[in-house]
Amino acid sequence: MNKYGTILIVDDNPSILTAMRYLMDGTFERVLTLDNPDDTLKTMAQEEIDIVLLDMNFTLGVNNGQEGLFWLRTIRKQHPQTPVVLLTAYADVALAVRGLKNGAADFITKPWDNNELVHKLKDVLDMQNEIVTLDEVEKEHIRRTLDRCHGNLTQAAELLGITRQTLYNKMKRL
């Protein structure tokens, strides 16, 4: 069975981190854990992280999810390609919607079902691998058009509905 890459789990509860480490060990090649979100960006700069599982609350007595939303936005700014899944014991629909609007890939509530959690994380990573960027689509379309026109830039540009100069500029970027 092929394992997924590296997961970073950020939660202030050491028991949660221990449980997650055991649970994720069978699914991921590497399981990294942090009990302080302040270390997240430093860790992500030093390690190749494939997915982040992020708690929503880190301060004792605070359960509004604002800390998690802050860290979600911060992670997404620095590492926009890394999916972040939010984890909280204080779930409500409004918080889940805010998290998704801020770029979360999914939202999981504590206590979690082990199989469901692993399945959701795999789904997020599998979907990430299926998405093709617009640049990749454009590059492939230009390549196929040029092949069809046997390398004739004028004819290819005409088929693409752009000028020859625009096609030439796009080819330089690709």
Side-chain angles (χ1 to χ4, degrees), residues 86-92 107-113 116 120:
L86 300 175
L87 181 66
T88 186
Y90 304 98
D92 65 39
F107 195 88
I108 296 168
T109 59
K110 298 175 188 175
W112 63 86
D113 173 271
E116 182 182 337
K120 278 188 178 190

Side-chain angles (χ1 to χ4, degrees), residues 28 31 59 70 92 97 131 138-139 166 169:
F28 290 90
V31 179
T59 303
F70 168 81
D92 65 39
V97 169
I131 295 173
E138 184 178 53
K139 179 180 179 180
T166 301
N169 289 339

Side-chain angles (χ1 to χ4, degrees), residues 23-161:
L23 175 62
M24 299 301 162
D25 188 50
T27 304
F28 290 90
E29 290 175 12
R30 296 184 62 217
V31 179
L32 304 177
T33 59
L34 295 174
D35 62 4
N36 185 341
D38 294 337
D39 299 329
T40 303
L41 293 180
K42 178 181 170 192
T43 300
M44 292 182 78
Q46 296 171 343
E47 302 282 346
E48 187 174 324
I49 305 297
D50 296 293
I51 191 167
V52 176
L53 184 56
L54 176 68
D55 190 21
M56 295 291 292
N57 300 296
F58 294 93
T59 303
L60 190 61
V62 175
N63 59 12
N64 61 13
Q66 293 306 306
E67 293 170 302
L69 291 175
F70 168 81
W71 285 107
L72 169 64
R73 287 188 301 271
T74 303
I75 292 167
R76 299 290 298 147
K77 240 183 248 178
Q78 296 290 320
H79 303 275
Q81 301 302 319
T82 305
V84 178
V85 175
L86 300 175
L87 181 66
T88 186
Y90 304 98
D92 65 39
V93 174
L95 182 59
V97 169
R98 281 198 324 255
L100 294 172
K101 282 184 177 180
N102 280 281
D106 210 331
F107 195 88
I108 296 168
T109 59
K110 298 175 188 175
W112 63 86
D113 173 271
N114 287 346
N115 291 330
E116 182 182 337
L117 173 60
V118 170
H119 185 75
K120 278 188 178 190
L121 293 172
K122 285 179 174 181
D123 282 350
V124 166
L125 287 168
D126 290 343
M127 281 179 34
Q128 179 99 359
N129 292 333
E130 291 175 11
I131 295 173
V132 178
T133 68
L134 287 175
D135 285 343
E136 291 168 342
V137 171
E138 184 178 53
K139 179 180 179 180
E140 178 61 19
H141 189 61
I142 288 172
R143 187 196 59 75
R144 284 188 297 133
T145 304
L146 283 168
D147 284 349
R148 181 175 172 191
C149 296
H150 306 289
N152 183 323
L153 290 180
T154 303
Q155 189 179 12
E158 190 175 298
L159 281 175
L160 292 168

